[in-house]
Amino acid sequence: YVVSFGITLVAFSAVLYFVNARNQADDFDKFLYNRAQAIARSISINVQGEIEINQALIAESGKLFPFQFGNEYIEIRSPDGKTIARSKNMGSSSLPMDARIMGLLQSGKFAFLTLPASSQSVPFWSRGDLRIVSVPLFANNQLQILLQLGVSTHALDQSLGQLRNSLFLIGVPLTLLLAGAGGWWLAGRAFDPINRIILAAQQLGARRLDERLPVPEADDELGRLSKTLNEMLDRLESAFKSQERFVADASHELKTPITVLKGELEVLKSQPRSNEDYRAFLESASEELGRLTQIIENLLLLARADSGAPLRLDKSVRLDEVVLGVIGRLQSFASQSQVRLAMTIPEDAPEDALTVRGDPDLLASLFFNLIHNAVKYSAAGQAVEIRLDASPPSPGLGGRVIIRDRGTGISKEDLSHLFERFHRAENPSRSEVKGTGLGLAIARWIAEAHGAKITVESKPAEGSEFRVQFFARP
Ligand code: ADP
């Protein structure tokens, strides 16, 4: 900023200086010309042809000049160029005169000329340049005399030197210094809030995710930055907490069957047992191991969901085939629980309407969880209806699978947490019905991965209806 500002400032000052120098040089010439005219007016030639100079007039007009001319060198020539008189300070030397100047003067014009200090042609002069004006003097339309006036440009040089010094030695450095200091201060003020955000962010550790960054009052970029970072922290905190909860719940769920197994083993060891006791233990042990295996499988499935690894969901899958397969696998469990499974498929359904693109194993898992739940939370003698719907209620939608039971139902409070991991509703049969609370979380993930949506309607003691709505394939 200071460098670019400095370059601009120097360029601007240079332009200012050159314009000013030109004006001053013009003024200098104007005054020199006027001075020559004044001197010319003070000259009279008497009847003997002698030149007389009115000293008072010269002194008077000399006061009008802003430039202190110092020594003046005056030379008066006859119309043919011969020197008639010259000021004493010139000794016997002459001011330069050539044919070009003569021509100009004879035609009534005037001429300027600069003799550089180094010039040897005016031996009396050694300091600075000598600026010479030559003017003609007419009387009765007759060229009478030629007047030459030479003065030092020292005053002009001095004035320009002062301007140069004040611009480039004082003005530019001082302005740059002030601008630099001001810029430094402003930048410091502008970055101060960022520094505070950085410091605060550095102090936030993984264990202190509940802390937030200070949000500046002004609604500017910094305010929005802090707000955005805080929102990110919100998301991180909730992700971190749910991860923590998940790990805690998972270890608890895994520990329960092991504790049961260990307890039974201890009891079994304490004294000699009959074959029946051993058989009972082995059965219970294999049941607990089955539970463990199921939990671990579910956890692996969820870990796969969390990893975000791409799934291959490009197979053409018939929903009716998948659901029929699941019902077949659940048939013996349902008859043990004395629950009847009833499936309806619309007769005239176009094949296409019940076909989706996805992973048949994952889709089977989804319906297994839903139908398994419907059976688990039904009482003996009740029926679970599974209905496939091929006529979408509105365009853009595809096939639909509805699972209806008349079981325990789900309370309003539980409905909002139903799909959370390890959430198990406080329905009357909770203590009796075994489960992990992972099934619906997995079902929802599979549905979302397939672009489907699960909705549920349920009333305690009346039963539940789970609907899986697929979308039409583009
Ligand atoms: P679980 O292994 O406990 O069945 P889920 O994730 O499958 O775990 O279900 C979560 C909870 O939702 C269950 O514990 C149960 O309380 C409730 N639930 C799920 N499906 C039904 C249903 N069809 N009827 C009544 N309650 C249900």
Side-chain angles (χ1 to χ4, degrees):
Y1 154 70
V2 170
V3 166
S4 60
F5 181 61
I7 291 171
T8 316
L9 198 63
V10 166
F12 177 74
S13 304
V15 170
L16 194 73
Y17 172 75
F18 283 115
V19 169
N20 208 287
R22 235 190 115 112
N23 284 343
Q24 284 209 31
D26 281 353
D27 281 351
F28 188 86
D29 280 353
K30 234 178 269 166
F31 285 116
L32 190 62
Y33 176 81
N34 287 344
R35 178 71 178 152
Q37 291 292 348
I39 294 171
R41 273 201 301 279
S42 72
I43 295 173
S44 55
I45 305 170
N46 65 15
V47 278
Q48 285 92 19
E50 290 165 343
I51 292 166
E52 288 171 355
I53 296 178
N54 181 343
Q55 295 297 333
L57 193 62
I58 303 174
E60 176 96 3
S61 13
K63 283 180 192 156
L64 299 173
F65 297 110
F67 296 105
Q68 291 293 313
F69 283 143
N71 282 344
E72 292 173 333
Y73 301 92
I74 303 165
E75 182 153 0
I76 298 165
R77 295 172 189 265
S78 62
D80 57 4
K82 278 210 198 80
T83 304
I84 304 171
R86 59 167 72 95
S87 49
K88 281 208 187 76
N89 52 9
M90 294 167 66
S92 58
S93 308
S94 261
L95 291 173
M97 170 65 75
D98 56 24
R100 183 188 69 93
I101 301 179
M102 276 300 286
L104 279 171
L105 294 184
Q106 275 160 358
S107 62
K109 297 190 179 112
F110 56 92
F112 280 102
L113 183 76
T114 303
L115 270 188
S118 55
S119 167
Q120 295 295 311
S121 58
V122 271
F124 54 85
W125 182 250
S126 61
R127 222 163 36 94
D129 296 346
L130 193 65
R131 184 75 172 156
I132 301 159
V133 64
S134 306
V135 293
L137 224 90
F138 284 86
N140 303 327
N141 269 340
Q142 272 274 296
L143 182 61
Q144 297 296 327
I145 51 170
L146 312 175
L147 184 125
Q148 286 188 290
L149 170 65
V151 295
S152 159
T153 58
H154 187 67
L156 177 65
D157 295 341
Q158 238 180 1
S159 151
L160 289 180
Q162 268 173 9
L163 180 66
R164 253 193 329 261
N165 287 350
S166 54
L167 271 180
F168 294 103
L169 293 185
I170 302 168
V172 170
L174 198 73
T175 313
L176 269 186
L177 200 76
L178 286 177
W184 184 272
W185 179 76
L186 265 182
R189 267 188 63 120
F191 284 124
D192 197 41
I194 298 187
N195 278 333
R196 267 185 282 137
I197 291 175
I198 292 174
L199 262 179
Q202 278 171 345
Q203 276 159 15
L204 297 181
R207 300 272 143 222
R208 292 168 63 189
L209 277 175
D210 54 330
E211 283 182 24
R212 291 294 175 267
L213 298 172
V215 178
E217 266 171 38
D219 181 29
D220 53 9
E221 281 77 4
L222 288 176
R224 287 204 294 281
L225 175 68
S226 304
K227 254 187 237 157
T228 309
L229 285 176
N230 279 345
E231 282 161 13
M232 189 185 77
L233 283 171
D234 287 345
R235 289 196 296 274
L236 276 179
E237 188 188 6
S238 89
F240 195 78
K241 282 209 170 126
S242 75
Q243 199 71 25
E244 260 182 348
R245 211 173 38 236
F246 181 65
V247 170
D249 289 347
S251 30
H252 174 79
E253 289 300 318
L254 289 171
K255 247 164 65 186
T256 313
I258 294 173
T259 315
V260 172
L261 263 177
K262 226 177 139 213
E264 286 176 353
L265 254 179
E266 294 301 326
V267 174
L268 202 69
K269 271 196 325 192
S270 58
Q271 57 188 72
R273 300 284 173 181
S274 68
N275 273 352
E276 247 85 287
D277 288 342
Y278 284 122
R279 194 181 307 278
F281 167 74
L282 284 178
E283 251 163 40
S284 148
S286 117
E287 196 180 300
E288 292 301 334
L289 281 176
R291 248 170 76 70
L292 263 180
T293 315
Q294 202 205 333
I295 293 173
I296 289 169
E297 268 170 11
N298 282 343
L299 285 177
L300 285 176
L301 207 58
L302 281 173
R304 197 172 142 206
D306 288 344
S307 77
L311 298 168
R312 286 187 62 90
L313 302 174
D314 51 1
K315 287 209 183 98
S316 214
V317 185
R318 290 274 304 260
L319 288 179
D320 47 350
E321 285 173 8
V322 174
V323 173
L324 267 175
V326 169
I327 290 176
R329 274 161 61 203
L330 279 169
Q331 201 66 64
S332 71
F333 173 67
S335 41
Q336 267 173 38
S337 320
Q338 297 174 35
V339 173
R340 198 166 52 81
L341 291 177
M343 180 174 173
T344 44
I345 304 175
E347 268 168 26
D348 51 351
E351 194 177 293
D352 205 37
L354 289 176
T355 308
V356 297
R357 213 158 257 295
D359 180 323
D361 294 334
L362 287 179
L363 287 172
S365 231
L366 159 66
F367 296 119
F368 185 93
N369 286 338
L370 294 182
I371 301 172
H372 190 214
N373 277 350
V375 177
K376 274 199 304 190
Y377 299 105
S378 290
Q382 289 180 332
V384 169
E385 294 159 26
I386 300 132
R387 193 150 48 85
L388 265 72
D389 190 352
S391 47
S394 63
L397 297 180
R400 189 156 67 139
V401 181
I402 300 159
I403 295 137
R404 174 103 181 83
D405 67 63
R406 312 275 163 195
T408 56
I410 303 156
S411 71
K412 245 203 180 117
E413 303 84 68
D414 283 318
L415 271 178
S416 51
H417 300 286
L418 210 60
F419 294 93
E420 288 172 15
R421 293 171 185 188
F422 294 113
H423 180 83
R424 302 206 64 209
E426 283 288 346
N427 51 35
S429 54
R430 176 178 174 162
S431 43
E432 306 137 35
V433 183
K434 293 211 166 118
T436 60
L438 289 174
L440 285 183
I442 290 168
R444 184 174 64 171
W445 165 66
I446 296 173
E448 278 171 1
H450 284 79
K453 204 170 153 54
I454 304 187
T455 49
V456 54
E457 256 175 46
S458 182
K459 270 199 190 136
E462 283 183 24
S464 318
E465 183 168 297
F466 284 79
R467 287 183 221 110
V468 186
Q469 174 71 61
F470 289 84
F471 289 85
R473 282 191 290 166

